[in-house]
Amino acid sequence: MKKALVCGAGGFIGSHLVKRLKKEGYFVRGVDLKYPEFSKTEADEFIKGDLRNLSIVDVCVDGVDEVYQLAADMGGADYIFTGEHDSDVMHNSAMINLNIVDSMKRHGVKKVFYSSSACMYPEDHQLEVDVPALREDMAYPGNPDSEYGWEKLFSERLYLAYSKNYEFNVRIARFHNIFGPEGTYQGGREKAPAALCRKVIKSDGEIKVYGDGQQTRSFLYIDECIEGIRRLMESDCVEPLNLGSDEVISINDFAQMIIDISKKEVVIKNIDVPQLGVRGRNSDNTMIKEKLGWSPMQSLRVGIEKTYEWIRSRYE
C-alpha cells in the first residue's frame, strides 16, 4: 500500500484529494492547521500542526512514499490584493516549502506534487480582457502582479532545483481558479465563484461586483482539478503544467450566469476597488493535452450549478 502525505489536508482542494487517494487504495496522512471545515477528514492519520515548524514536518514526512504539497497562506482578492498580508503570504508559504524539501531530503522521500498557481504568470501578459491564453512558456521573465504570485514562482524554482540536485521526482501544476462544493464561501478568503454565489443567495435585489466586470477569467471545477493532479503524478511530465479550464468568461457574465441559476431578480452593481488583479487570465491547455492526453472539459455552468446548490444549502 502506497503512503501519501497531503499537506493542506484541511483545506478545500486538499480534503478532496484525500478522498480521491483513499478511493485509490492509498494510506493517507493529512496535515493542516485545521480540520476540514465542512466534512470529516477521510485521512487515515490527521496531524493538526504548523508546517512552518520543521519538527512537525519531519513527523509528517517520515515513512511516506509521496508528498502532495497544497499548503499555503492564501485567499481571494480581499486577502491577496490589499497589501496588508504580503509579508505573511511570502514568509509563511516559503517557510512551509523550505521545510518540506529539507525534510524530504533527510528522510529519503523523492516524489512530490507542488500546487503552483496561474498567479505566478507575468502581469504584462494579462493587461487586457482579450489577452491570449497563458502558455507555460510565458512564465519568464517573471513579473507577477502579487506577492502571492512571486512566492509561487520562487517555490516552483525551489522544487525544480531539488529535482536537479537531489533527484527529486517533482510534478508541478499551475492552478487556475479552482472552485466547487466544500470550498470557503465567506469570511474574506473565499474566491470569486463562491463569493458571487453567496452574494446572489443573500441578495435583496442587488449584488456588488468589483471593478467594471469586464475582467475575464477561467474557472476549474474541483473534480477535474483532482483528476488532473492524479494524472500528472502518474505521468512522466517534469515541466510545470497549467491545470485549468480554457472556457473564458467576464466576471459580469459569470455573475449573470449565477443569477440565472438562482432564478432570482437581481441586478449587478459594479464598484471601484483599489486592487482587482489582472484584467484577463485564461488557461492554454495545449501542453496538458500533449503531456497527459487529457484536459478539463466540463462546462462552467455545470460546475457552478453544483456549487450554487451546495452554498445555498448552507443557508437553509
Side-chain angles (χ1 to χ4, degrees):
M1 179 184 291
K2 284 185 178 179
K3 293 185 176 181
L5 170 66
V6 177
C7 302
F12 168 48
I13 302 174
S15 61
H16 280 271
L17 179 58
V18 167
K19 295 174 185 177
R20 173 62 179 266
L21 291 170
K22 284 301 300 173
K23 287 181 181 177
E24 293 186 25
Y26 276 76
F27 177 93
V28 181
R29 179 181 295 152
V31 58
D32 208 320
L33 288 170
K34 59 182 179 60
Y35 292 104
E37 187 175 358
F38 304 112
S39 62
K40 185 177 179 180
T41 182
E42 294 187 19
D44 297 280
E45 297 177 0
F46 193 101
I47 297 171
K48 192 175 180 182
D50 191 336
L51 293 170
R52 294 172 297 181
N53 184 329
L54 183 55
S55 63
I56 296 292
V57 179
D58 278 335
V59 171
C60 295
V61 168
D62 187 28
V64 303
D65 302 299
E66 301 175 0
V67 175
Y68 292 80
Q69 173 19 21
L70 297 97
D73 191 343
M74 63 173 297
D78 284 337
Y79 186 76
I80 294 297
F81 293 118
T82 63
E84 297 173 7
H85 311 287
D86 285 353
S87 58
D88 284 342
V89 165
M90 295 201 78
H91 175 273
N92 293 340
S93 295
M95 183 64 71
I96 290 168
N97 287 308
L98 288 164
N99 283 345
I100 287 172
V101 292
D102 184 28
S103 187
M104 284 180 61
K105 183 180 72 171
R106 287 184 289 104
H107 287 275
V109 179
K110 295 291 188 179
K111 192 166 188 180
V112 58
F113 169 83
Y114 174 61
S115 60
S116 186
S117 167
C119 294
M120 55 73 62
Y121 282 109
E123 183 179 19
D124 319 51
H125 297 305
Q126 305 171 78
L127 297 176
E128 304 295 335
V129 296
D130 295 324
V131 293
L134 294 167
R135 301 186 316 271
E136 287 82 355
D137 62 5
M138 290 178 171
Y140 298 94
N143 186 30
D145 74 323
S146 67
E147 303 308 325
Y148 175 78
W150 276 110
E151 191 282 324
K152 287 295 186 183
L153 183 60
F154 162 77
S155 290
E156 280 194 15
R157 301 297 302 184
L158 175 68
Y159 284 98
L160 292 171
Y162 272 73
S163 174
K164 179 174 64 176
N165 294 150
Y166 296 103
E167 298 181 343
F168 276 23
N169 195 359
V170 174
R171 302 291 182 269
I172 298 172
R174 295 170 179 165
F175 291 167
H176 287 248
N177 297 313
I178 315 302
F179 75 99
E182 300 189 16
T184 299
Y185 59 91
Q186 60 186 355
R189 291 188 182 233
E190 67 275 16
K191 300 296 184 69
L196 289 171
C197 286
R198 184 198 72 245
K199 289 178 180 182
V200 172
I201 290 164
K202 298 185 71 176
S203 168
D204 57 1
E206 178 184 276
I207 63 168
K208 294 178 180 178
V209 171
Y210 291 171
D212 62 8
Q214 300 308 304
Q215 61 269 37
T216 54
R217 296 292 188 274
S218 64
F219 301 93
L220 182 67
Y221 190 64
I222 182 63
D223 290 355
E224 292 196 297
C225 175
I226 301 302
E227 180 69 21
I229 291 171
R230 289 298 299 128
R231 284 176 179 261
L232 178 56
M233 277 294 269
E234 296 301 315
S235 77
D236 59 2
C237 178
V238 297
E239 302 97 336
L241 281 184
N242 284 331
L243 184 50
S245 169
D246 57 7
E247 180 185 349
V248 67
I249 190 170
S250 74
I251 299 302
N252 271 358
D253 286 346
F254 189 30
Q256 188 60 53
M257 179 187 290
I258 296 169
I259 292 168
D260 293 344
I261 290 168
S262 76
K263 297 182 170 60
K264 296 176 69 173
E265 294 293 329
V266 178
V267 298
I268 297 168
K269 180 180 180 181
N270 295 105
I271 61 171
D272 289 331
V273 294
Q275 291 286 348
L276 287 169
V278 297
R279 285 292 283 165
R281 176 181 290 151
N282 189 22
S283 178
D284 186 303
N285 286 350
T286 303
M287 190 169 171
I288 195 172
K289 291 175 184 175
E290 174 188 325
K291 296 292 184 179
L292 304 187
W294 171 90
S295 67
M297 296 299 293
Q298 179 176 281
S299 75
L300 175 60
R301 174 104 187 191
V302 170
I304 204 64
E305 285 176 347
K306 296 176 183 177
T307 305
Y308 179 87
E309 285 305 312
W310 181 82
I311 296 175
R312 185 182 61 80
S313 72
R314 302 293 301 176
Y315 287 98
E316 292 180 347

